[in-house]
Amino acid sequence: MSRRPFIFGLFFLLTVASQLQAQENRLTLQPAQLKSLGIETAVAGEMPGGRNGSFPAQVRVPNEQMRVVAAPVGGMVEMLAVAPGSTVKRGQVVAHLSSQQALELQRDALQAGSQSSLMQQNLKRDEQLFSEGLIAESRLQATRAAAVQAGAQASERRQGLALAGAAPGKLGGKLALTAPIDGVVLEQGAQLGQRVETSALIYRIAKLSPLWLEIQAPVAIAARLREGSAVKIANSEVTGKLIAIGRAVDPASQTVLLRAEVGKGADTLRPGQVIEVEVAAPAGQQQRLPAAALARNVGKTFAFVQTSSDDKGVVFEARPVRVVSQGGDSVTVDGVKAGEKVAIKGVSGLKALLTGVGAE
């Protein structure tokens, strides 16, 4: 094979080197020179390999945004007003329950209230009699204690009635179950006509924005991340940020649980959905680059970072970096910030030019 292309390429490099300005590990190249050397750049944090990779994640509803409508007492489901997928408002009646236990609670509350009223009347009478000197103080103290006890019992019965959702002051009527928050019905736990026990699930209701993404990431990746790191759903424009990084490692998969929050775009997701997400290191943290973006010389490792571009040319800085980890065709380094342009092709030519003009 002819050596003419090799000799021509070497002559071209030397010619370009003579036109370069090198100062403090910087090179200035003209557009024609960039094209001839095949130099291409990409933005750190956005380039292939610039993210920490794609990982499986599951969409979850934040705990504080989920509520359940449960049977406060045992009974029969007489009416169901909504179904899974329905939107409900706080206070909206979603079901009716017919319950013998609710009737008993209403009866007990009425009896306790009547007893408390009677004891209050007795207390007023004995206070009047004591002031007139007609009864002993011990009798007044006994009546007062009985009134306090009856009042406490009546209050307890009223609270039990309120917890059951039954109407006070009367017997009978259907027990109305209402939505505790504005949201969407995710699950229906009972059927019409079904007899349910106390605390049986009737509906599960949730507010669906924002949502959580629970991500399983390898330990080595999780160790490089910080809360606030950007998260992007694969093949989508929906983004979020990490809000928690687990401290425990799953012994079977050797992964760490990451939790991200998604606000804008959460309406495109469904609780329980399994998706792929990409996690990027935040600005100022370690960045993942293609291995071809690094060059080595005299025991040092560096990347060519574009610092400016104007009429005078494009300036590259040979910036020393520290390799944190390496896997496949990508490496994780310290020394490059997210958003900076880094040369990913033509790096060997840049290295040759830099060493050719006397840089370390």
Side-chain angles (χ1 to χ4, degrees):
M1 184 176 180
S2 175
R3 297 183 59 186
R4 292 182 62 186
F6 172 76
I7 296 174
F8 176 79
L10 180 61
F11 174 78
F12 176 78
L13 283 176
L14 293 175
T15 302
V16 171
S18 67
Q19 299 172 358
L20 294 173
Q21 303 172 18
Q23 184 179 7
E24 298 180 354
N25 288 354
R26 293 178 182 269
L27 298 171
T28 302
L29 286 77
Q30 300 303 315
Q33 297 168 336
L34 293 173
K35 183 177 180 180
S36 298
L37 292 172
I39 296 172
E40 294 182 12
T41 62
V43 179
E46 298 180 5
M47 65 185 72
R51 291 182 177 268
N52 287 311
S54 295
F55 308 109
Q58 190 166 32
V59 180
R60 299 284 190 185
V61 179
N63 295 332
E64 65 272 15
Q65 294 173 204
M66 190 179 301
R67 299 289 188 276
V68 295
V69 177
V73 292
M76 184 185 73
V77 180
E78 278 198 353
M79 186 272 287
L80 294 172
V82 293
S86 301
T87 300
V88 296
K89 295 291 184 180
R90 181 179 181 180
Q92 176 182 337
V93 175
V94 295
H96 281 158
L97 197 65
S98 176
S99 171
Q100 179 64 33
Q101 188 177 351
L103 289 175
E104 294 172 358
L105 290 173
Q106 290 174 327
R107 180 200 64 199
D108 292 345
L110 284 172
Q111 291 177 345
S114 298
Q115 184 67 20
S116 179
S117 297
L118 178 61
M119 295 307 299
Q120 288 297 326
Q121 292 174 7
N122 290 343
L123 177 60
K124 289 181 180 180
R125 182 197 63 197
D126 283 3
E127 286 176 341
Q128 180 64 31
L129 293 175
F130 177 74
S131 66
E132 296 173 357
L134 299 177
I135 61 172
E137 183 179 1
S138 58
R139 175 175 166 176
L140 174 63
Q141 291 176 345
T143 304
R144 182 176 289 126
V148 170
Q149 182 177 359
Q153 189 173 34
S155 177
E156 177 187 351
R157 296 290 190 271
R158 286 194 301 269
Q159 290 182 32
L161 197 61
L163 289 174
K170 62 179 181 179
L171 286 174
K174 300 173 183 178
L175 196 61
L177 307 183
T178 60
I181 58 171
D182 295 347
V184 175
V185 178
L186 295 185
E187 180 184 355
Q188 177 181 316
Q191 300 300 320
L192 189 64
Q194 179 181 348
R195 290 194 173 274
V196 295
E197 300 295 330
T198 302
S199 300
L201 174 69
I202 306 299
Y203 289 113
R204 191 183 307 277
I205 300 173
K207 179 183 176 184
L208 299 184
S209 181
L211 290 173
W212 283 349
L213 304 178
E214 292 191 347
I215 308 163
Q216 298 292 336
V219 177
I221 296 296
R224 296 197 299 267
L225 299 174
R226 299 291 182 273
E227 291 184 10
S229 297
V231 172
K232 180 179 181 296
I233 297 177
N235 303 316
S236 169
E237 297 302 319
V238 179
T239 60
K241 64 178 181 179
L242 284 183
I243 59 172
I245 299 174
R247 303 290 295 176
V249 177
D250 184 276
S253 63
Q254 288 297 293
T255 58
V256 174
L257 178 66
L258 311 177
R259 182 172 292 114
E261 184 177 87
V262 173
K264 185 178 181 180
D267 56 331
T268 65
L269 303 174
R270 299 291 182 270
Q273 180 181 0
V274 176
I275 57 176
E276 290 287 324
V277 299
E278 298 172 344
V279 184
Q285 300 294 332
Q286 300 165 353
Q287 297 297 320
R288 199 164 179 83
L289 307 175
L294 300 186
R296 292 172 175 80
N297 186 50
V298 195
K300 296 181 180 180
T301 301
F302 51 90
F304 288 94
V305 179
Q306 181 179 322
T307 58
S308 65
S309 178
D310 51 31
D311 295 339
K312 296 180 180 179
V314 179
V315 179
F316 285 93
E317 172 192 354
R319 184 181 300 173
V321 296
R322 180 176 67 89
V323 177
V324 177
S325 64
Q326 184 168 357
D329 58 354
S330 62
V331 293
T332 301
V333 300
D334 256 337
V336 177
K337 297 180 180 179
E340 290 187 313
K341 286 187 176 182
V342 180
I344 59 172
K345 290 186 178 180
V347 173
S348 58
L350 288 173
K351 175 186 175 182
L353 295 176
L354 186 67
T355 55
V357 293
E360 289 189 1

